[in-house]
Amino acid sequence: GAVVSQHPSWVICKSGTSVKIECRSLDFQATTMFWYRQFPKQSLMLMATSNEGSKATYEQGVEKDKFLINHASLTLSTLTVTSAHPEDSSFYICSASDTSRGSYEQYFGPGTRLTVT
Amino acid sequence: GDSVTQMEGPVTLSEEAFLTINCTYTATGYPSLFWYVQYPGEGLQLLLKATKADDKGSNKGFEATYRKETTSFHLEKGSVQVSDSAVYFCALTANSGYSTLTFGKGTMLLVSP
């Protein structure tokens, strides 16, 4: 149980275009979802936290107009990188929690590799 | 704020060697502690966890004990395998609210045959 999927697993896009990454909880209700960014050989940087049906809470320094997060259902959250630039190239990882069960454990997706050319 | 400090890598070992990866933390209250493993090109997988002092988390031969007195959660394995080569992250979360995870910087483990 507690499986989280991400789609796509990798994507290449041209500078100036937008790209959407999906994060799904397959067998549980994800009341809270998290989006992380990971640079090569570095740790995960939390970008934002979202609760189903609410606006995402962004970490300091993360541009909310550039990284649009939608958590419209208990099983799906999306991250849209708008007007992507090469510096947005990174590994994006989502995680999900079912806090309604009193558990704060996060289950991680496999990640999405974004390359902006 | 909360923080996690891990030993820098890479840690290079021969197969069947003993592994220790040190992790210490700073946190208010009584956090839960985790070790995650990341294989090349993949997301994070929970390896083990401990939610209170003196708890020992264990999985796949790996162990870590929650030491409140030394604020540590060192990862150990008695005999590593080549397949254990990965990056290991120590992390903590406060046990309240929808708490975020605070990660260490990660330690790369390379095991040679």
Side-chain angles (χ1 to χ4, degrees), chain A residues 6 8 10-11 13 16 18 23 31 40 54-55 61 72 87-88 91 113:
Chain A
Q6 280 184 244
W10 59 270
V11 57
C13 70
S18 296
C23 177
T31 49
S54 302
K55 288 184 178 180
E87 57 264 31
D88 298 325
F91 195 52
R113 174 80 56 195

Side-chain angles (χ1 to χ4, degrees), chain B residues 1 4 23 27 63 73 104:
Chain B
V4 176
C23 170
E63 293 182 340
F73 192 54

Side-chain angles (χ1 to χ4, degrees), chain B residues 3-38:
Chain B
S3 67
V4 176
T5 303
Q6 289 181 239
M7 61 188 290
E8 288 193 23
V11 173
T12 304
L13 296 172
S14 297
E15 204 165 25
E16 298 184 2
F18 184 87
L19 168 71
T20 300
I21 299 178
N22 290 338
C23 170
T24 56
Y25 67 90
T26 302
T28 54
Y30 303 93
S32 291
L33 302 174
F34 305 82
W35 277 101
Y36 286 88
V37 57
Q38 184 179 32

